[in-house]
Amino acid sequence: MTSRLQYQIVAKTAPDQPLVSDELRQSMFNLYFQYYAGTSSGLFTSDLSQKDYVILLWNELEQLQGFSTLQVINLELKNQPIRAIFSGDTIIHNDYWGEQTLPLAWCRLSGKIKAENPEWPLYWFLIVKGYRTYRYLPVFSHKFYPTHRYPTPPEIQSLMDYLANFKFGDYYDPQTGLVKFPESQGHLRDDWADVKEGFRDKPDIKYFLERNPEYYQGHELVCFTELSEENMRSHARRGFIEGLQGKL
């Protein structure tokens, strides 16, 4: 099926430069605010200022219909480099749910980022407050964490804890794997937060709800996977390789 959306990738050109224009930022917030409560223009702008990339989705009328923001994190752990993509605010207008434009763009961009330092492992570090996002992990990856399929290895858990502590400090609880803020930093509005009928018993969704039962309050489950040709599945792997080869 031909996609009705086109994507555009915008990169920050300098640390002190805004990622997008004020007008576009307002359009992004307006779309986000339709689906998320517990947020504000100031909170959204502050979060966006920390990001290095944004993927924008446009319809045939050149109207914004979705976006996803990304931050590239470079750290060291035990004298080994760590490079991770941290996913920020993401939304697609519900008229376009099911289209694969954003996953393709995201995988191509992650491949491009991997190609910048091919000898370093690259991880996807994300915090998840909705079951729809969690379901991307088994679609994208052979191995990801946490999951009902297998326990998280201690060395992977250490990486997850390290990244979560770096990013969220005391808001992260390593015992539960959850990030909890004193006040919601954004949670799905009631119309969009409910689990679809018949979905609660699906293994991945059931597991997510067990790990993050109060997701609707804005609590977020820390998740993790390696972004590599060997670990990525099917269409995600194809997009990742295209990004490695410079195709965006």
Side-chain angles (χ1 to χ4, degrees), residues 74-91:
N74 295 296
L75 295 171
E76 278 194 3
L77 178 63
K78 298 179 181 178
N79 296 319
Q80 296 297 316
I82 297 173
R83 201 156 204 241
I85 293 174
F86 174 70
S87 288
D89 292 333
T90 301
I91 193 67

Side-chain angles (χ1 to χ4, degrees), residues 73-83 125 154-169 172 174 222 224:
I73 298 174
N74 295 296
L75 295 171
E76 278 194 3
L77 178 63
K78 298 179 181 178
N79 296 319
Q80 296 297 316
I82 297 173
R83 201 156 204 241
F125 164 52
E155 64 274 15
I156 296 295
Q157 190 62 59
S158 293
L159 270 172
M160 294 169 67
D161 292 342
Y162 184 67
L163 285 164
N165 277 311
F166 166 79
K167 186 70 179 170
F168 301 105
Y172 171 63
V222 171
F224 182 90

